[in-house]
Amino acid sequence: MKIGIIAVFVDYHRRGRKNRTALQPQIGPLLAALLPGDADVHYVNEAWRDPDWSREYDLLFISSMHSDFDRARQISHYWRRRGARTVYGGPFASSYPRLCAPYFDAVIVGDPETTVPAVADDFSRGALQPLYHGREYRSEAVPTPRFDLIADQAKHALCFEATRGCPFQCEFCVLTGLGTRHHTRPIQAVLRDIERGRALLKGRVPKPHLNVVGFCDNNIGGNLTYLRELCKALEPLRLQWYAAATFNVISRPALVEMLARAGCRTLFVGLESFNPAAIADMKKHQNAVPKIRAALEHCRENGILVMAGLMLSPLVDDLAYIQRLPEYLRESGLHVPTFICFECPIPGTPHFQRLASVESPPFLPNALLRDFTGYTLVLKPARAPVPEYIDAYRKVIADVYSWRNRVRKLADDLPRFLKRGRWLPALFDAADVCATDPSPAGSRSLLAGTDTEPPERVPFDDSDFASDVERARILSPWRVTDGEGRVLERWLESAPVYPPPKAATRAAGRKLTASAAA
Ligand code: SF4
């Protein structure tokens, strides 16, 4: 049985470029490990390379983010026309299974550990079902991913999963839209995966790479007790590692020191904003703006590079805030963030539901699903006319990512890392600062409904469509708002996948969140 797995990617800067940064989608190797051992599995991570359009598949798994759904739908059609049965999973499939169903032979809602083996089994019996719902998460069901399928991507490091989900409830986050849940894996299982992954790479990558690993968890600090135990287990291995965490981790000096001793060298943290009103509006209560500078400084002094993303809130931030952003960045010591985007109400999130349900929704007209990346404005700014808001965005990007500013950041960071012999954060810092090129092309409107079309294409020919109606059904981008900016009815139907935590767990979660925000 020939099985394909495609993780769909569309360059959100609309230049058609690949994204070969350290945080790559990890779903392919995990799905592959859940398939029958005798299956011939081929994995394509589109952020890394294009699909081989001449390949034949019997069964094709496709996963994508919300904004990449147009392409996921087209890829499905392409291979269905060539005889494959297609299965769609991922956050968008989980939020809107009914909308997705007509374009795939099966849709998966929730985690893959119980669904993917069931899909493969049903397919081999000729009894594929249209919808599969994941059963309750059990950490023992998580296998060691098929790292052999991504050995060519190990130029950064192999990534492992220690936790799943996040206990926080940031309003814009897709995880919050799917339902708040947080699971930890037994530490022995994480260590087992690391050992197997390193054994697999031995002889296939330069030796120093074997000592660098990543954690692909959305938030490795969702349970601080677990994180401390993980640090204790990692310390003797003398690995260097990177992960994503939220602010409550880096604002704890003793925990930062523990992370550094355990080999943590880089943390990606969603700082989001220097505007406390925007942070409150995002319901990202664990972020504490007045503590940013001290937290970043302490991380750096301990040899940990903090990479951070920022969002502009169209409903809260005014032009004065955007213009002052370079100053805030200088004062914080961050200088150059990994990205600056717009806070985006992704369909299915509480942020989207809240804005869609007000009497005059603040969406721009004719917004397309592909516009909901954070790099195209989909909301009318509340405190400035649209052209001035976009102009301020372009200017702040040009200022923050100027070479003068990049050099200033490296001059501030690198001596501190190198004096401690920490070459890895220095390397990541230099790579991030030099490679980042977020300046939008002048030809882009950056506005929903009128922004440049992404250049990625699926190589269809005329015989791929039975009629013009079918062609339009597959190729036309999906729309989220009408000509007046009203959200189309079908986008209001999403519901959380994961049930609210039981009473006892909820109380523990509240305690955790409260202590995190302290
Ligand atoms: S902390 Fe990060 S992963 Fe967790 S809900 Fe907020 S944005 Fe999502």
Side-chain angles (χ1 to χ4, degrees):
M1 182 166 36
K2 287 185 218 150
I3 301 183
I5 302 170
I6 298 184
V8 177
F9 173 75
V10 177
D11 175 15
Y12 28 74
H13 293 302
R14 304 203 175 181
R15 297 177 293 211
R17 292 188 192 159
K18 298 297 177 195
N19 174 15
R20 295 192 173 129
T21 54
L23 288 175
Q24 291 293 316
Q26 300 297 318
I27 190 66
L30 177 63
L31 294 196
L34 294 163
L35 291 167
D38 59 353
D40 173 11
V41 181
H42 179 245
Y43 171 52
V44 179
N45 166 17
E46 276 207 297
W48 203 268
R49 61 187 152 104
D50 287 332
D52 174 355
W53 301 105
S54 66
R55 271 205 178 246
E56 289 176 4
Y57 299 119
D58 299 311
L59 184 63
L60 176 62
F61 289 85
I62 301 172
S63 166
S64 83
M65 303 297 286
H66 293 52
S67 56
D68 298 346
F69 180 70
D70 287 339
R71 183 167 173 82
R73 197 173 74 237
Q74 292 165 12
I75 288 174
S76 172
H77 184 76
Y78 180 89
W79 262 291
R80 278 174 114 182
R81 291 284 300 176
R82 285 153 184 79
R85 310 291 298 276
T86 63
V87 183
Y88 184 52
F92 186 68
S94 290
S95 287
Y96 293 100
R98 197 187 63 83
L99 298 188
C100 301
Y103 303 92
F104 304 87
D105 294 291
V107 173
I108 290 178
V109 172
D111 289 326
E113 281 81 10
T114 54
T115 49
V116 168
V119 166
D121 189 41
D122 288 352
F123 174 77
S124 63
R125 293 185 295 108
L128 196 59
Q129 304 297 308
L131 184 65
Y132 291 82
H133 267 275
R135 291 197 298 275
E136 200 171 338
Y137 175 89
R138 287 186 310 112
S139 62
E140 344 43 289
V142 181
T144 302
R146 286 271 315 268
F147 294 120
D148 54 304
L149 298 177
I150 52 164
D152 64 324
Q153 292 173 29
K155 92 173 188 183
H156 297 295
L158 284 184
C159 279
F160 301 92
E161 182 187 44
T163 67
R164 193 174 292 179
C166 177
F168 294 105
Q169 299 186 348
C170 307
E171 199 194 33
F172 59 80
C173 183
V174 167
L175 296 192
T176 311
L178 293 177
T180 300
R181 49 93 177 239
H182 186 248
H183 308 290
T184 55
R185 294 183 66 208
I187 285 170
Q188 283 313 318
V190 179
L191 300 185
R192 174 203 69 195
D193 288 356
I194 293 175
E195 193 185 319
R196 288 183 186 168
R198 294 174 78 202
L200 181 89
L201 285 187
K202 207 166 176 186
R204 300 172 81 165
V205 300
K207 223 171 167 189
H209 284 214
L210 291 175
N211 295 328
V212 180
V213 303
F215 290 97
C216 57
D217 311 34
N218 291 94
N219 173 14
I220 202 165
N223 179 327
L224 298 181
T225 306
Y226 177 85
L227 179 58
R228 291 187 184 100
E229 290 305 314
L230 183 65
C231 284
K232 280 186 209 156
L234 289 173
E235 191 173 341
L237 302 186
R238 305 183 70 78
L239 297 169
Q240 301 191 78
W241 51 274
Y242 58 86
T246 195
F247 191 78
N248 63 310
V249 170
I250 65 165
S251 61
R252 288 177 151 75
L255 181 55
V256 167
E257 288 152 28
M258 191 173 199
L259 286 161
R261 284 196 301 277
C264 177
R265 297 293 176 261
T266 300
L267 283 174
F268 178 84
V269 178
L271 284 187
E272 323 303 7
S273 180
F274 292 97
N275 182 352
I279 291 290
D281 190 66
M282 293 169 190
K283 302 192 173 39
K284 192 148 191 168
H285 304 299
Q286 68 275 29
N287 281 19
V289 173
K291 294 183 182 175
I292 291 178
R293 185 183 166 79
L296 297 186
E297 185 70 20
H298 194 62
C299 285
R300 208 162 34 180
E301 286 304 322
N302 280 275
I304 297 177
L305 167 71
V306 172
M307 296 167 72
L310 293 180
M311 299 194 289
L312 302 179
S313 165
L315 301 183
V316 179
D317 294 327
D318 57 14
L319 296 180
Y321 169 76
I322 300 176
Q323 285 151 3
R324 278 203 64 194
L325 202 48
E327 198 181 319
Y328 290 129
L329 283 162
R330 255 194 312 278
E331 285 167 6
S332 71
L334 184 65
H335 299 290
V336 182
T338 300
F339 60 78
I340 302 175
C341 67
F342 304 111
E343 187 189 9
C344 182
I346 295 173
T349 60
H351 187 40
F352 178 84
Q353 306 290 8
R354 170 165 68 99
L355 299 182
S357 63
V358 299
E359 202 171 321
S360 306
F363 291 86
L364 288 170
N366 300 316
L368 302 172
L369 185 56
R370 71 185 186 205
D371 294 329
F372 287 71
T373 57
Y375 293 89
T376 297
L377 188 67
V378 299
L379 295 175
K380 295 175 205 151
R383 292 157 194 265
V386 170
E388 287 175 34
Y389 200 82
I390 291 293
D391 190 47
Y393 177 70
R394 286 190 195 276
K395 283 190 177 137
V396 82
I397 293 285
D399 188 342
V400 169
Y401 294 95
S402 65
W403 278 105
R404 176 177 44 92
N405 216 27
R406 296 182 200 220
V407 169
R408 185 184 289 145
K409 175 174 174 58
L410 294 181
D412 201 6
D413 289 350
L414 298 194
R416 303 191 209 204
F417 293 138
L418 294 176
K419 97 175 171 216
R420 298 178 66 91
R422 296 284 162 83
W423 57 269
L424 190 70
L427 209 63
F428 271 47
D429 202 8
D432 189 47
V433 164
C434 296
T436 306
D437 179 15
S439 304
S443 55
R444 287 188 63 184
S445 72
L446 298 178
L447 296 177
T450 63
D451 207 354
T452 316
E453 206 180 319
E456 289 87 352
R457 292 284 177 276
V458 175
F460 289 117
D461 58 45
D462 286 344
S463 66
D464 283 314
F465 304 105
S467 66
D468 286 346
V469 173
E470 184 180 60
R471 181 192 290 271
R473 186 172 155 265
I474 299 302
L475 297 186
S476 300
W478 272 19
R479 192 185 279 223
V480 177
T481 65
D482 66 12
E484 307 295 319
R486 285 183 299 253
V487 170
L488 303 180
E489 191 70 26
R490 61 183 178 169
W491 295 106
L492 303 176
E493 71 179 41
S494 70
V497 177
Y498 306 109
K502 296 186 182 97
T505 327
R506 244 193 338 261
R510 272 199 301 274
K511 205 168 147 202
L512 175 70
T513 309
S515 70

